Amino acid sequence: MSSETKGDRKATLDAASWFFNVVTSVGIILVNKALMATYGFSFATTLTGMHFATTTLLTTILKSLGYIQSSHIPLADIIKFVIFANFSIVGMNVSLMWNSVGFYQIAKLSMIPVSCFLEVVLDKVRYSRDTKLSITLVLLGVAVCTVTDVSVNTQGFIAAAIAVWSTALQQYYVHFLQRKYSVGSFNLLGQTAPAQAASLLLVGPFMDYWLTNKRVDAYSYGLTSILFIIMSCTIAVGTNLSQFICIGRFTAVTFQVLGHMKTILVLILGFIFFGKEGLNLQVVLGMFIAIVGMVWYGNASSKPGGKEHRNFSIPATTKTPDYSAVPVSTEPDEKV
């Protein structure tokens, strides 16, 4: 196969992976918004535990059918990953409760510079001037259209800091584990999802009661709300897998930068399906700036020197995975 054909195939798979992530992520946000706002199911942490329980069930079935190859990841690495991931989920929920929406959005935006810092320190990555400027433009655009009131307190700041760093570490670790142990996205998800499901379903009801003063077992379950929960869990399998795929194929920073495309889409779809309240010139301008920044980032980071590693190598005991191929039972992830 010629290098040009390989390049075209990789570009097609990259686009398909990203489209899969955008569709599932936007879909789960809209479903969860309806579930929580319309039907009052405000138990976000417990719902995330249900997502990972559904993911565990599916990966177990696929493994028993031979679609997922068995591989070994040390327990210590799985525990570290689960700690980062769970602190990310709980931290984001607590941050949203203790902070204003404006500061919560600023905290989410700060994940990009934190992810950049991790790549520079741990992977010796060097960014070109255009790449840095395009990232700044994306941050500016998303801030313009999402950040409104900004107020912060000490406990809210601490919760946001924990959420940001744990999320950045979790996403970095997704890429690191796939690369270090040469495992596919679904394989890695199958090994980490059971621990996440068990821990979140154990802690989730207590955390949600603390955040909402409501008990998940006392919720009035109806046919429609149950259908929405099932729909949320089903889409979440795709969302979880697509996150692992995209971070494996790209990096945590690229995933964060292009991830703001989902923020823009959610805003647009929100205006379409839930009314045009809040739509104004500032929001439209922010969307335009963010989209220009994303296009610029894609162009700048793909050029020679746009984003390169310096003297970084994987230990000789491991083999380098081929990210140009998507695993057989390929790819999704994300959280509430």
Side-chain angles (χ1 to χ4, degrees), residues 64-321:
S64 66
L65 294 175
Y67 289 103
I68 301 179
Q69 300 298 319
S70 297
S71 62
H72 174 69
I73 297 178
L75 181 61
D77 281 333
I78 292 179
I79 291 175
K80 281 190 286 187
F81 176 85
V82 170
I83 290 174
F84 293 148
N86 287 356
F87 266 96
S88 169
I89 294 167
V90 174
M92 280 297 178
N93 291 337
V94 174
S95 175
L96 183 58
M97 181 184 73
W98 285 350
N99 294 313
S100 65
V101 175
F103 185 78
Y104 174 78
Q105 291 293 344
I106 290 176
K108 288 179 65 178
L109 291 174
S110 68
M111 289 179 194
I112 292 181
V114 170
S115 294
C116 289
F117 174 80
L118 291 176
E119 288 192 357
V120 169
V121 172
L122 300 178
D123 286 353
K124 309 301 180 187
V125 169
R126 180 175 59 190
Y127 298 94
S128 68
R129 181 179 63 87
D130 280 0
T131 303
K132 294 174 186 175
L133 290 175
S134 64
I135 291 175
T136 303
L137 192 63
V138 172
L139 294 174
L140 174 63
V142 177
V144 168
C145 64
T146 61
V147 177
T148 52
D149 62 308
V150 178
S151 61
V152 63
N153 53 70
T154 302
Q155 62 179 15
F157 180 82
I158 294 173
I162 292 174
V164 168
W165 278 94
S166 58
T167 301
L169 284 166
Q170 181 256 346
Q171 293 184 354
Y172 173 83
Y173 226 53
V174 168
H175 186 76
F176 173 78
L177 291 177
Q178 290 189 53
R179 180 180 53 184
K180 182 178 180 181
Y181 297 108
S182 299
V183 295
S185 307
F186 226 144
N187 201 320
L188 178 60
L189 185 59
Q191 296 196 54
T192 57
Q196 277 195 266
S199 55
L200 288 173
L201 288 176
L202 181 64
V203 175
F206 300 100
M207 179 62 63
D208 290 331
Y209 179 74
W210 178 50
L211 293 173
T212 65
N213 202 31
K214 297 177 182 178
R215 290 170 43 185
V216 66
D217 60 309
Y219 175 75
S220 180
Y221 293 91
L223 177 60
T224 307
S225 60
I226 291 175
L227 288 175
F228 267 93
I229 291 172
I230 293 173
M231 192 185 307
S232 177
C233 291
T234 302
I235 299 174
V237 176
T239 309
N240 289 332
L241 180 56
S242 67
Q243 185 196 39
F244 278 46
I245 291 173
C246 288
I247 295 177
R249 296 186 68 83
F250 311 116
T251 64
V253 172
T254 300
F255 181 77
Q256 284 285 344
V257 171
L258 297 182
H260 286 299
M261 181 191 304
K262 293 177 287 189
T263 303
I264 304 301
L265 284 175
V266 168
L267 284 173
I268 294 173
L269 292 175
F271 292 138
I272 293 174
F273 292 111
F274 300 102
K276 294 182 174 57
E277 182 180 355
L279 180 62
N280 52 48
L281 180 61
Q282 176 182 328
V283 173
V284 174
L285 177 62
M287 290 179 180
F288 177 76
I289 293 173
I291 292 172
V292 170
M294 291 172 200
V295 174
W296 188 10
Y297 174 82
N299 183 55
S301 61
S302 63
K303 289 182 178 178
K307 181 179 179 182
E308 59 186 13
H309 293 263
R310 293 174 294 176
N311 301 324
F312 178 80
S313 61
I314 300 173
T317 55
T318 61
K319 60 182 179 180
T320 305

